[in-house]
Amino acid sequence: MIKLKDINKFYVTGDETLQALKNVNLEINKGEFLAIMGPSGSGKSTLMKILGLLDKKFDGSYTFLDKNISSFSDDALSKFRNEKIGFVFQDFNLIKRLSIKENIEIPMLYRGHRIKETKKRVVELLKKVNLESKINKYPTELSGGQQQRVSIARALINNPDIIIADEPTGALDSHTSKEIMGMFKELNDEGITIILITHDINVARQANRVMSIFDGELKEGEF
Ligand SMILES: Nc1ncnc2c1ncn2[C@@H]1O[C@H](COP(=O)(O)OP(=O)(O)OP(=O)(O)O)[C@@H](O)[C@H]1O
Ligand SMILES: [Mg+2]
């Protein structure tokens, strides 16, 4: 499903160059639940942005669902990303002035669906994350765990093949973390490929496969 080959990523600022990824090779099969672990500054978010088709400025080759990413125009890549990938972030990234319903339907409206279709889908997803009663509330009226469940619903709205989560439990207490991890496991059982980025070994161990990144180098297993 995903194949990264000899990926190198350089950040150039002024006359300084920093190599954030060093010869990264990675293959992910459909249906995997993979955790990528590493300390602060090791290159996790850099790798996530490349995997998530948010950054195509890198050396090496990236094949996603049999397509070579470097051959895409920016517009085609955005469309492809919106259809295939759902994102979940540490700080939930919900829009405060929009209701829960509006937050969840945003990615679907981008695709040109009509309002009536999206409403049905939003209700379906809110049921799935047990938040049906919150449909007309606003993000600030929800707890952290509830906001993260909303962001999972949003990530699911276009039926993605893959979910990429960057520290999804980073802002949550241990009980709520467990609940969110349980939700990822369920989604994985339904066939969605999951890539979870974390610095927490106890979270990483709940995945089926663990990889570590250290100073831009990725390897199989724990440190
Ligand atoms: N836009 C940028 N310009 C220059 N350097 C950057 C940029 N983004 C990241 N870096 C550098 O690349 C390295 C990897 O950063 P990255 O954000 O991928 O780390 P991380 O593993 O996600 O860390 P954290 O756990 O703190 O989120 C760091 O040394 C960082 O300073
Ligand atoms: Mg990061």
Side-chain angles (χ1 to χ4, degrees):
M1 169 177 223
I2 277 182
K3 195 169 183 178
L4 293 180
K5 200 164 182 314
D6 300 326
I7 301 289
N8 288 288
K9 170 74 188 180
F10 299 91
Y11 289 116
V12 183
T13 33
D15 52 7
E16 258 180 65
T17 299
L18 185 140
Q19 186 166 8
L21 295 177
K22 298 172 183 163
N23 240 27
V24 166
N25 286 285
L26 173 61
E27 272 188 57
I28 303 172
N29 295 318
K30 187 171 165 37
E32 277 202 85
F33 187 166
L34 168 69
I36 298 175
M37 238 191 7
S40 182
S42 56
K44 300 184 298 297
S45 294
T46 302
L47 179 59
M48 184 218 106
K49 280 181 234 158
I50 292 176
L51 285 171
L53 312 179
L54 294 161
D55 177 14
K56 57 177 230 183
K57 291 195 200 90
F58 53 83
D59 298 341
S61 83
Y62 179 11
T63 323
F64 182 94
L65 293 172
D66 294 324
K67 294 189 167 63
N68 189 331
I69 288 320
S70 45
S71 65
F72 278 71
S73 69
D74 288 350
D75 281 353
L77 197 63
S78 303
K79 184 163 179 286
F80 192 54
R81 178 176 63 231
N82 190 35
E83 286 172 11
K84 306 294 181 193
I85 308 179
F87 290 94
V88 177
F89 300 96
Q90 175 169 5
D91 51 6
F92 325 130
N93 274 16
L94 300 175
I95 301 172
K96 285 196 178 62
R97 62 187 166 75
L98 297 182
S99 70
I100 298 311
K101 171 177 170 288
E102 292 164 334
N103 265 285
I104 295 176
E105 65 192 10
I106 286 177
M108 204 166 171
L109 295 174
Y110 269 130
R111 280 183 78 179
H113 288 270
R114 275 176 294 125
I115 302 288
K116 212 172 169 186
E117 276 174 77
T118 66
K119 171 81 196 288
K120 192 164 157 260
R121 181 86 180 118
V122 169
V123 171
E124 211 175 274
L125 287 169
L126 277 173
K127 268 190 202 152
K128 197 178 176 76
V129 299
N130 287 320
L131 283 177
E132 235 185 316
S133 61
K134 305 288 186 190
I135 186 159
N136 291 316
K137 298 274 184 231
Y138 285 81
T140 50
E141 300 173 299
L142 269 55
S143 71
Q146 289 171 337
Q147 289 186 58
Q148 196 57 302
R149 274 145 65 194
V150 171
S151 86
I152 292 173
R154 179 186 55 190
L156 290 171
I157 196 152
N158 287 334
N159 283 319
D161 293 63
I162 182 165
I163 287 186
I164 300 182
D166 193 357
E167 296 279 3
T169 61
L172 305 174
D173 61 54
S174 63
H175 172 78
T176 314
S177 290
K178 277 201 191 108
E179 190 184 287
I180 295 295
M181 286 304 292
M183 213 156 261
F184 284 128
K185 273 187 205 155
E186 251 172 58
L187 295 172
N188 183 242
D189 287 341
E190 291 169 17
I192 300 180
T193 306
I194 303 205
I195 304 176
L196 184 132
I197 288 162
T198 182
H199 65 262
D200 184 339
I201 182 120
N202 294 313
V203 169
R205 282 180 180 158
Q206 295 177 57
N208 297 328
R209 176 180 170 201
V210 178
M211 298 192 79
S212 309
I213 185 164
F214 194 82
D215 202 14
E217 289 182 50
L218 184 72
K219 64 174 184 109
E220 203 75 43
E222 295 174 18
F223 291 113

